[in-house]
């Protein structure tokens, strides 16, 4: 999963699927975390720390805020710099 945040939400690439989530960084991350929790049957934050979700995140600009929110949720991300996404 690759996440590219922008002013209005974020674009998510997963396999050959692309979708755009609208909302604040908190709303987008919460939506992604809910989806991951269902997919991996995670009940609490402690369980999430043991899983590598293979999430790449553009951490430039607003992406740093997304990173902080993911880390607060106990989810590790892989930092991606601009020019390396595609």
């Amino acid at each position: 999963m690759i996440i590219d945040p922008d002013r209005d939400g974020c674009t998510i690439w997963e396999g050959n699927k692309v979708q755009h989530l609208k909302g604040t960084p908190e709303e987008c991350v919460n939506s992604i975390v809910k989806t991951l929790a269902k997919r991996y049957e995670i009940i609490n934050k402690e369980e999430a720390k043991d899983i590598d979700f293979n999430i790449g995140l553009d951490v430039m600009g607003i992406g740093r805020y997304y990173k902080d929110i993911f880390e607060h949720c106990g989810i590790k991300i892989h930092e991606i710099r601009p020019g390396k996404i595609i």
Side-chain angles (χ1 to χ4, degrees):
M1 176 185 297
I2 297 175
I3 303 169
D4 184 18
D6 61 42
R7 187 180 332 178
D8 301 321
C10 67
T11 302
I12 301 171
W13 288 273
E14 190 170 19
N16 54 357
K17 297 179 189 175
V18 178
Q19 72 178 40
H20 185 79
L21 295 178
K22 290 189 178 195
T24 66
E26 293 90 353
E27 292 169 339
C28 291
V29 171
N30 286 337
S31 177
I32 294 166
V33 169
K34 282 182 185 179
T35 300
L36 293 173
K38 286 180 187 176
R39 185 180 298 165
Y40 291 91
E41 298 178 356
I42 297 169
I43 297 170
N44 59 43
K45 272 203 268 187
E46 293 303 313
E47 292 178 10
K49 291 180 182 178
D50 297 331
I51 299 173
D52 180 5
F53 296 104
N54 196 22
I55 297 173
L57 174 67
D58 177 357
V59 293
M60 297 306 292
I62 197 167
R64 283 180 253 159
Y65 188 46
Y66 276 73
K67 179 184 175 189
D68 290 343
I69 299 168
F70 273 114
E71 287 178 351
H72 180 73
C73 293
I75 295 177
K76 216 184 286 186
I77 57 99
H78 303 279
E79 294 183 11
I80 298 175
R81 301 285 178 200
K84 302 288 184 187
I85 291 178
I86 297 177

